Amino acid sequence: MTDLPGATQSPPAEPGEVTEPTVPGHRPPPPGPEPAAGPTPAPRPTPEAGLAPGLASTAGPAPESAPAPRPTPEAGPAPGLASAAGPAPESAPEAGPAPGPAPEPPSAPAAVETAPPEKVDSDSGRGAYFSNRFLARAALLTALLTAAGALLGLVRDQTIAHLYGAGPGTDAFLVAWTVPEVASTLLIEDAMALILVPAFSLALARRAAREPLPAGSPPDGASGRDPVHALLRTTLPTLLLALSAGAVLLMLAAPWVVALLAPGLPDTQLAVDCTRLTATCAFSFGIAGYCSAALRAHGSFVPPAMIYVAYNIGIIATMLILSDRLGVRAAAAGVAVGGCLMVLVQAPVVLRRLRERRATAERTAPEPSGEQPGGAGRPLVALGLLAPVIVFALTRQSQVLIERFLAAPLPAGAISHLNYAQKVAQMPMVLSLMLCTVTFPVVARAMAAGDTDRARRRVERDLALAGVIVLVGAATVVACAPQIIEILFQRGAFDRADTAATAAVMRVYALGLLGHTLVGALVRCYFSAARPLWFPALAMLLGLALTTAGGALLVGTWGVLGIAAGNALGITVTAVLLLHGVARHSVPVRVRHMTGGLVKLSAAAAAATGAGWLCGALIPAPLPGAAVACLVVAAVFLVIARAVQAPEIDSLVRSVTGRFANVR
């Protein structure tokens, strides 16, 4: 099909990909024929008239019976937009009426009546960049892929436990695995996303706010550059250079890194070899995180959700192929292979998305002068934002470093028990944060447009839903921890003693799951407006200090349980600080309302934990006991939460029962 002049032709989406919907006003329409003399159509709303750039209007597109033609130099410029051809000659008015606001023709019904209902966000009552239906579909597909990645992560951990057990070799690999864990937090989950998702959202808002110039207009210099491509040119080359240097530096400094992370480790050379293999993730994770941020801001959520599926497949396959020849070093090599696969599953979609704008020779007008809700006049990436985000991400990940530092002098297997317990216990947190990951671009776009009320409603709903998911998961983890660990890991070199030790640590870890979820959800609010905020980093530093002090004081008495208790204490204090500071520093969330709702949900979770624990203890077989405990936990939680009128419970019940009612 031949491209229309001035139109943007988007290539077809790949199967299964969730991409942003085509929203009226997001891309300029193709130019039509010159309008005949007659009444001039009503002008397109401007930001000054109340429409924020980057957000779709609830009015929707005009019907085909009365299209709004693009103004031409002969007919005169549109109101509020200077003509590129200069002032009109005096004889120009003979061609038609002078431009200016005029009532719409009778054949054009009110635009609000023709707005497609699926393009309107029912939460806000106004046009939204992503509709609720789109967000629900994106969250569902993200949930399925995240669950698949988590399942493969369990298979990966089961493979490690089966092949290497919980001895000194596994401890050496886990020390080396600290490097990709830190890189994942810094370059994929936190820092990169918190910096680049708002930056790309702001660039897209600026792009959407621009108007097309007539064909044949003279170049307008730098103002005609596409904001998204300008952001790529200013950030990607520097990032590639920094990531390459960081990976090489980690390989050279591997002996000192191991000595710093685990000074009492028995097999230091094995840990050094594994660290050099995993150091490649400093580069591959950075590119994967950059691609994920760009795609999420563009409304494409499936490729970013697939990265951990590819990552774990790479680790598992490499271990199975090379374990006989390389031993535990095969697991480290698998981490390097998995990092490369994380980039490969996203790169084709990123390139296709970026080519959409280059596919045409469309010119863009200079951005309007003055402060606009879309952020005109502000840099796309505020340099002052980098430092607080990086400090926050490093401080948050340092909890793992502190735990392994404190566990290194303990008997062999202590680090392994902490690792297995943490991986399983954090699964409810990962699932609860899926919705926040999908809606983060929505909050960032609303903050860029100055729509704080819409951002508040979105954040409050996300916090309540995330709290429901993580508290049900935490209750299940505490109620049947031994059964879960026995089912997942007790085979091969992983014996019954390892199961008991890991289950005990996992129950203590579960006490901090709500804190971990709140920190992960709230920090997106603080950095959604692309402003330098040090409050989250300072709150995280205080939490890390409590984690360190609590773990150091309790490790002598409780061993690894004391280390896990310090983690739960530190992250809970951080969550409380972030929750009570979010209204003052970022999104105006109703703190008292949210605190009361989370207290009600926690009370329901406590009662559900006791009921599930009792049922699990009465059934000796691990699989039936865990299954019955899970059902009892969910049922008791739902009943009590509805009885105390906890937030979002009724809407969840109506949603589920409505879906079943529609099944024939």
Side-chain angles (χ1 to χ4, degrees):
M1 182 173 64
T2 305
D3 290 350
L4 294 174
T8 301
Q9 295 288 340
S10 300
E14 296 182 359
E17 180 187 355
V18 177
T19 58
E20 61 175 334
T22 303
V23 182
H26 178 60
R27 289 190 176 90
E34 293 185 8
T40 305
R44 182 177 176 175
T46 60
E48 290 78 3
L51 178 62
L55 295 177
S57 171
T58 50
E64 296 182 0
S65 60
R70 194 167 73 173
T72 62
E74 291 78 13
L81 181 63
S83 172
E90 294 182 0
S91 59
E94 299 178 1
E104 292 192 6
S107 59
V112 71
E113 297 176 1
T114 61
E118 65 270 13
K119 306 292 189 192
V120 179
D121 190 342
S122 60
D123 285 349
S124 60
R126 60 184 291 183
Y129 189 75
F130 300 127
S131 66
N132 278 348
R133 181 181 299 179
F134 171 78
L135 290 176
R137 182 185 174 209
L140 176 60
L141 291 177
T142 302
L144 293 175
L145 289 171
T146 302
L151 180 61
L152 287 171
L154 286 176
V155 175
R156 174 203 65 202
D157 292 339
Q158 288 173 336
T159 306
I160 294 173
H162 179 75
L163 294 175
Y164 314 118
T170 307
D171 288 352
F173 163 70
L174 293 176
V175 169
W177 206 2
T178 305
V179 172
E181 285 180 331
V182 173
S184 174
T185 299
L186 184 63
L187 300 176
I188 299 178
E189 302 300 334
D190 284 343
M192 191 76 74
L194 294 174
I195 293 170
L196 288 178
V197 169
F200 274 105
S201 298
L202 179 57
L204 290 168
R206 291 187 181 183
R207 172 192 284 180
R210 293 173 173 228
E211 297 286 349
L213 285 178
S217 301
D220 56 0
S223 61
R225 294 169 61 187
D226 178 62
V228 176
H229 294 154
L231 176 60
L232 288 169
R233 285 190 292 269
T234 56
T235 57
L236 189 54
T238 304
L239 179 67
L240 291 173
L241 182 62
L243 293 174
S244 302
V248 173
L249 182 62
L250 277 174
M251 291 179 185
L252 296 176
W256 294 277
V257 171
V258 171
L260 178 65
L261 294 177
L265 199 67
D267 196 342
T268 304
Q269 185 57 45
L270 179 59
V272 169
D273 295 341
C274 292
T275 301
R276 284 178 173 149
L277 289 169
T278 59
T280 57
C281 291
F283 180 83
S284 59
F285 280 18
I287 304 303
Y290 192 96
C291 294
S292 296
L295 288 173
R296 285 168 180 163
H298 279 79
S300 183
F301 297 97
V302 171
M306 291 177 62
I307 59 176
Y308 289 108
V309 174
Y311 175 65
N312 288 320
I313 287 175
I315 297 176
I316 295 169
T318 305
M319 283 193 297
L320 295 177
I321 294 172
L322 299 178
S323 180
D324 292 338
R325 285 181 287 177
L326 299 181
V328 77
R329 292 177 179 86
V335 172
V337 173
C340 297
L341 294 178
M342 294 170 82
V343 178
L344 293 178
V345 297
Q346 298 183 99
V349 184
V350 172
L351 294 176
R352 181 174 59 81
R353 289 297 242 163
L354 296 178
R355 280 198 301 265
E356 290 178 5
R357 196 67 176 177
R358 288 197 181 99
T360 67
E362 181 184 66
R363 298 295 302 165
T364 54
E367 293 182 1
S369 59
E371 280 297 322
Q372 300 295 338
R378 296 190 346 231
L380 290 170
V381 177
L383 295 178
L385 179 64
L386 300 179
V389 172
I390 291 174
V391 170
F392 170 84
L394 287 176
T395 305
R396 186 180 182 188
Q397 187 58 38
S398 295
Q399 290 182 315
V400 178
L401 306 182
I402 296 299
E403 291 175 8
R404 291 179 180 173
F405 180 87
L406 295 174
L410 296 178
I415 296 178
S416 299
H417 297 151
L418 285 170
N419 172 75
Y420 293 130
Q422 188 180 64
K423 290 292 190 299
V424 178
Q426 286 187 350
M427 287 186 63
M429 179 199 72
V430 173
L431 295 175
S432 65
L433 288 177
M434 285 184 308
L435 181 62
C436 300
T437 300
V438 171
T439 59
F440 180 36
V442 178
V443 177
R445 183 67 62 88
M447 296 297 290
D451 192 354
T452 56
D453 188 58
R454 181 172 184 269
R456 175 190 62 79
R457 287 194 296 269
R458 182 75 261 174
V459 169
E460 288 182 352
R461 187 175 186 184
D462 290 350
L463 289 176
L465 291 174
V468 170
I469 296 172
V470 75
L471 286 172
V472 171
T476 304
V477 166
V478 175
C480 47
Q483 295 94 325
I484 293 175
I485 297 299
E486 182 176 350
I487 294 169
L488 294 178
F489 299 114
Q490 189 174 311
R491 59 185 59 86
F494 198 95
D495 56 23
R496 185 170 295 276
D498 293 325
T499 296
T502 303
V505 175
M506 191 168 73
R507 278 173 166 161
V508 180
Y509 265 136
L511 301 178
L513 283 181
L514 179 60
H516 280 287
T517 300
L518 292 178
V519 169
L522 289 169
V523 75
R524 289 167 168 81
C525 304
Y526 282 94
F527 295 113
S528 61
R531 293 180 298 165
L533 293 174
W534 278 98
F535 183 78
L538 296 177
M540 198 69 235
L541 283 170
L542 177 60
L544 180 64
L546 291 176
T547 296
T548 306
L553 290 175
L554 297 175
V555 68
T557 305
W558 292 352
V560 290
L561 298 181
I563 298 174
N567 178 290
L569 172 64
I571 200 65
T572 301
V573 171
T574 302
V576 171
L577 292 175
L578 291 180
L579 179 60
H580 285 272
V582 67
R584 184 171 65 255
H585 296 283
S586 180
V587 181
V589 173
R590 296 173 295 173
V591 176
R592 182 174 297 180
H593 171 76
M594 292 307 306
T595 302
L598 292 173
V599 169
K600 293 177 181 178
L601 291 173
S602 299
T609 301
W613 197 328
L614 178 62
C615 292
L618 294 176
I619 303 175
L623 186 58
V628 172
C630 290
L631 294 175
V632 170
V633 164
V636 173
F637 179 88
L638 181 61
V639 170
I640 296 180
R642 292 197 70 182
V644 298
Q645 298 181 344
E648 296 299 330
I649 293 297
D650 287 338
S651 62
L652 284 174
V653 172
R654 286 195 301 268
S655 176
V656 174
T657 55
R659 290 181 183 276
F660 280 108
N662 292 330
V663 177
R664 296 288 186 268

